[in-house]
Amino acid sequence: MCGICGKLNFDRQLPIEPGLIRRMMDVVEHRGPDGGGEFLSGPIGLGHRRLSIIDLDTGAQPMSNEDGTIWVVYNGEIYNFEELRTELEGKGHQFRSSSDTEVIVHLYEELGDQCVSRLRGMFAFALWDESHQRLLLVRDRVGVKPLYYKNTGKALIFGSEIKSLLADASVERSINIFALDRFLTYYYLPGNETLFEGISKLDPGHFLTVEDGQVSVKQYWDLHFEIKPHSQKFDKAVETLQALLQRTVKDHMISDVPVGVLLSGGVDSTGVLSYAVQQTNKPIHTFTMGFSGENFQDERPYAKLASQKFGTVHHEISMDADDFQDFLPKYVWHMEEPICEPPAIALYFVSQLAKQSSVKVLLSGEGGDEAFGGYQTYRNLLILERLKSAFGPVKGFLRLGFQALGHAGWKQIGQYANLIEPTLAEYYLSRTATPFTLFNQLKPELYNKEFAAFLDLHASGNVTRKLFDHVNDQPLLNRMLYVDTKTWLPDDLLVKADKMTMAASVELRVPLLDYRILEFAASLPLDYKVNGWKLKRILKAALVESVPKEILNRKKTGFPVPYDTWMRREMKDFVFETILATNAASHTYFCKKTVKDLLQAHHRGEGYSKEVFCLLVFELWHRQFVKLPGFVG
């Protein structure tokens, strides 16, 4: 796992500024503390920071082919590199290293841009074809590894992190106000825009080429839902999934350094551990997090139960409100964009624990919910749609029923009264947002007149509306799974996974997001995933013999960081003083009274923790990254 960066001037006679690539590399040294290298040739500069995982002695980058006409910098792991290497050697290619990086170079020589279709793993890489003066940028199918770029009109600048791009003085630090509205709609930023004006993400499953100053982006992979014959019998599909899990976890164990497992106390991470222990005769280290203070919900007993069953070397760490508050500025610096993801801070601390235990690679269970239907939202909305269909022309009575339950104290059920009339695409913006989330309801009061004048408030949900349209021939469950796989997964969960583990110089691998598992899940009948009240039906069936029943049958809780309590108590002064400071960025965009009312309501315990955390991280982000003061229209 590494950090890459670079710049290509469109004018071939214009060389790269001396020292630029080094500055771009230095700012992401945490991604690769084991070494660094650069390649400069006229208008192109490539930089690489290395975290040594495979081929510790001869895997340094940038790496080239035999005659130095193809150069690559690469971040990630190619899990099928050994079989690709054997195939390429059979065609006469000569290898000078044992690394997976060199496979990319020779595969490009054979297949050109289509080499990406043969790579299985998590990756982002930049490849320079000297003979054709051509740059190729690639991001893996699901978006496990990040890649950002900016087309200035005179050059293309790119990197694993936005900070590398900002090291170039030609990149302005101005805010994308339309993306700010989108952030407050979703609580993260779906799509290829960032909160920095003009800086984009390369979409998962896409590659970008630059040739003769022309920039082109193409898609090479998408997730397709089509029930296949192999999935017609449930028991046979379970056996197929078990074999697939075994192969995938085995691939993800490839490493020349120790590998550990993150345990959340849930089904997915425990399932990954159950297959990991089959692949080695060495002790596996496992890691989990708890929270100090009052009687907060604690995942540690379940993680310890899994550790005991599989005989791991288990490590625990706890975090309190002071730890959480102290790390917040660094959280924002590493995440680079405001994202409402408090569990990310816990992930950083547990990654540091792994690093201190000399474990450089971690496996996690990320992705099982998006592949196999693990969120309660899926089940609830499926039931709601069936009820709407059953009530037909008298849906108004259904609304009244939900409202009555809400007034009786069932707030989570009561909120569905608002969802009786809208179409799915209108109310399911993503797993985190509907038009009825607080910020979407507050926007007319929250935004000041100058800010609101630039916006079309309805347009903020267009990212997911377009995705729904793309799969409008699919059943409801598949449409939700597709949207979350394309947005919530890469733009929230995987950003957190990459940025926080790399902040600790640790590599995180996600076996359940191998594209073969995603494609298998997409080929299954709907009831193999969500069946009545059962979530992740087939995955749980595949793990029933290995995962303790106490974990297999427990209610899904996520990773319950008690930030709501902390922000109302220990962090209360910090929250108020930061968001309501005289020079706070929020005054430029928001109505001060509305913001203050929201903070006070949260302090009274009225449940606005997500919204307050969003405002807090936005303020910290603005202070660190946006140097141009005032409203930028």
Side-chain angles (χ1 to χ4, degrees):
M1 198 67 66
C2 308
I4 67 173
C5 59
K7 181 175 183 177
L8 173 63
N9 288 324
F10 297 158
D11 182 349
R12 294 184 183 180
Q13 305 306 311
L14 183 63
I16 296 298
E17 171 198 344
L20 172 62
I21 301 301
R22 179 60 56 180
R23 295 197 304 272
M24 296 175 74
M25 292 163 54
D26 287 348
V27 77
V28 292
E29 184 177 357
H30 54 276
R31 297 188 70 93
D34 295 334
E38 59 184 314
F39 166 75
L40 298 172
S41 178
I44 185 71
L46 303 176
H48 184 263
R49 293 296 321 185
R50 188 181 187 207
L51 182 66
S52 304
I53 301 294
I54 292 175
D55 188 14
L56 307 185
D57 296 325
T58 63
Q61 301 180 42
M63 187 173 287
S64 73
N65 61 350
E66 298 93 328
D67 61 6
T69 57
I70 307 293
W71 287 85
V72 71
V73 286
Y74 150 70
N75 169 32
E77 304 292 348
I78 306 299
Y79 299 122
N80 62 333
F81 80 95
E82 291 179 334
E83 60 192 75
L84 290 172
R85 178 186 174 120
T86 300
E87 177 184 323
L88 289 164
E89 286 176 330
K91 294 182 177 182
H93 290 270
Q94 301 293 316
F95 283 77
R96 293 173 292 177
S97 74
S98 301
S99 74
D100 54 342
T101 308
E102 195 173 1
V103 166
I104 298 173
V105 173
H106 295 296
L107 196 62
Y108 175 82
E109 289 182 298
E110 283 289 323
L111 301 176
D113 296 347
Q114 296 309 311
C115 68
V116 300
S117 64
R118 297 292 311 280
L119 302 175
R120 178 163 47 79
M122 55 180 188
F123 49 83
F125 65 83
L127 183 146
W128 174 245
D129 186 334
E130 182 83 22
S131 300
H132 297 92
Q133 294 287 287
R134 187 173 185 273
L135 177 67
L136 171 67
L137 303 183
V138 180
R139 192 175 178 200
D140 66 65
R141 294 168 179 81
V142 189
V144 182
K145 304 314 301 173
L147 191 55
Y148 301 92
Y149 69 94
K150 181 178 177 68
N151 181 356
T152 69
K154 296 181 179 180
L156 189 92
I157 310 164
F158 61 89
S160 297
E161 297 192 8
I162 296 173
K163 289 184 284 291
S164 287
L165 280 65
L166 297 178
D168 189 321
S170 69
V171 179
E172 295 183 352
R173 298 183 176 213
S174 55
I175 187 170
N176 179 346
I177 62 169
F178 303 103
L180 174 57
D181 179 47
R182 190 174 303 130
F183 164 58
L184 296 178
T185 298
Y186 293 91
Y187 305 97
Y188 66 99
L189 266 173
N192 59 15
E193 288 187 300
T194 72
L195 205 47
F196 295 88
E197 183 66 41
I199 296 180
S200 302
K201 314 168 199 172
L202 184 60
D203 282 323
H206 285 67
F207 63 79
L208 178 152
T209 58
V210 187
E211 194 167 10
D212 295 326
Q214 298 299 309
V215 179
S216 176
V217 178
K218 295 181 180 179
Q219 185 172 20
Y220 69 89
W221 183 84
D222 198 4
L223 184 62
H224 299 286
F225 294 89
E226 181 182 357
I227 297 177
K228 300 291 180 64
H230 67 246
S231 65
Q232 294 301 311
K233 292 187 179 297
F234 184 76
D235 291 344
K236 182 64 176 176
V238 169
E239 292 177 3
T240 302
L241 177 56
Q242 289 171 330
L244 187 56
L245 288 169
Q246 185 175 32
R247 290 198 303 272
T248 301
V249 173
K250 180 180 180 180
D251 289 344
H252 282 69
M253 293 285 287
I254 296 173
S255 174
D256 293 331
V257 296
V259 178
V261 178
L262 282 179
L263 285 180
S264 67
V267 172
D268 299 341
S269 62
T270 308
V272 167
L273 174 61
S274 72
Y275 282 96
V277 296
Q278 300 174 22
Q279 309 305 327
T280 181
N281 55 9
K282 299 178 181 178
I284 288 183
H285 291 250
T286 52
F287 303 89
T288 195
M289 162 71 77
F291 306 101
S292 303
E294 55 191 273
N295 192 26
F296 295 125
Q297 187 172 335
D298 198 339
E299 301 297 294
R300 284 177 291 184
Y302 295 99
K304 190 171 184 178
L305 176 65
S307 168
Q308 291 172 341
K309 176 176 174 61
F310 297 109
T312 72
V313 180
H314 192 55
H315 308 263
E316 296 181 353
I317 190 173
S318 63
M319 179 175 67
D320 60 21
D322 289 339
D323 297 324
F324 188 87
Q325 177 179 318
D326 291 345
F327 186 69
L328 269 174
K330 290 183 180 178
Y331 162 78
V332 172
W333 189 81
H334 282 292
M335 292 293 282
E336 304 184 298
E337 294 189 90
I339 294 177
C340 183
E341 193 60 34
I345 297 176
L347 177 58
Y348 170 79
F349 280 93
V350 78
S351 299
Q352 280 281 32
L353 177 63
K355 180 181 179 181
Q356 293 163 7
S357 306
S358 299
V359 172
K360 217 170 186 178
V361 176
L362 290 171
L363 307 186
S364 88
E366 205 79 82
D369 294 315
E370 291 75 19
F372 295 100
Y375 295 122
Q376 295 174 10
T377 305
Y378 300 147
R379 178 187 63 205
N380 295 345
L381 293 184
L382 287 171
I383 293 172
L384 176 65
E385 288 296 301
R386 293 188 188 117
L387 287 172
K388 286 167 65 175
S389 177
F391 274 75
V394 291
K395 287 186 291 188
F397 290 106
L398 183 61
R399 182 189 301 107
L400 292 174
F402 282 128
Q403 288 174 341
L405 289 170
H407 293 318
W410 298 77
K411 290 185 178 181
Q412 288 187 325
I413 297 178
Q415 70 181 353
Y416 289 107
N418 294 320
L419 306 181
I420 299 302
E421 293 300 333
T423 64
L424 176 66
E426 287 302 308
Y427 67 70
Y428 192 79
L429 298 180
S430 84
R431 202 188 74 81
T432 60
T434 77
F436 309 104
T437 52
L438 180 66
F439 273 147
N440 285 328
Q441 296 179 70
L442 269 183
K443 282 177 181 179
E445 302 172 34
L446 178 66
Y447 294 171
N448 63 33
K449 292 180 180 179
E450 293 79 11
F451 182 37
F454 280 89
L455 303 173
D456 174 358
L457 300 185
H458 179 76
S460 61
N462 285 346
V463 172
T464 45
R465 290 189 186 99
K466 289 178 181 177
L467 290 169
F468 268 107
D469 289 343
H470 185 66
V471 288
N472 59 10
D473 60 334
Q474 287 293 324
L476 171 57
L477 176 61
N478 286 346
R479 296 175 78 190
M480 291 188 286
L481 291 173
Y482 183 81
V483 166
D484 288 344
T485 300
K486 292 291 185 175
T487 56
W488 159 254
L489 184 64
D491 297 322
D492 186 306
L493 297 184
L494 293 178
V495 173
K496 168 198 74 178
D498 173 82
K499 299 289 180 68
M500 290 296 100
T501 54
M502 291 308 299
S505 302
V506 171
E507 172 176 299
L508 186 71
R509 298 178 179 179
V510 283
L512 298 183
L513 287 176
D514 187 294
Y515 79 93
R516 297 173 304 176
I517 289 182
L518 288 178
E519 289 179 346
F520 172 78
S523 75
L524 298 173
L526 301 179
D527 64 348
Y528 286 16
K529 291 175 274 193
V530 178
N531 184 22
W533 291 99
K534 293 181 180 179
L535 300 172
K536 291 192 291 195
R537 178 190 173 202
I538 189 170
L539 182 59
K540 290 182 177 180
L543 299 174
V544 70
E545 297 298 328
S546 54
V547 173
K549 64 180 183 301
E550 296 90 339
I551 295 174
L552 196 70
N553 298 325
R554 66 184 294 234
K555 182 180 178 181
K556 182 175 178 60
T557 60
F559 199 69
V561 178
Y563 73 106
D564 174 63
T565 300
W566 289 342
M567 290 196 304
R568 284 188 287 109
R569 297 182 186 176
E570 293 94 331
M571 293 174 58
K572 188 254 185 181
D573 290 343
F574 172 75
V575 170
F576 273 71
E577 290 169 5
T578 301
I579 297 175
L580 297 179
T582 304
N583 61 345
S586 62
H587 303 333
T588 305
Y589 311 96
F590 311 136
C591 172
K592 185 174 182 179
K593 181 181 184 304
T594 303
V595 172
K596 188 174 182 179
D597 289 345
L598 177 61
L599 293 181
Q600 290 174 339
H602 173 258
H603 181 61
R604 294 192 297 268
E606 296 180 20
Y608 300 131
S609 54
K610 281 188 176 182
E611 291 73 21
V612 171
F613 191 76
C614 283
L615 293 175
L616 181 61
V617 296
F618 172 68
E619 176 61 34
L620 294 172
W621 173 84
H622 205 284
R623 291 182 183 183
Q624 292 191 51
F625 287 105
V626 181
K627 293 184 177 179
L628 300 178
F631 179 68
V632 181

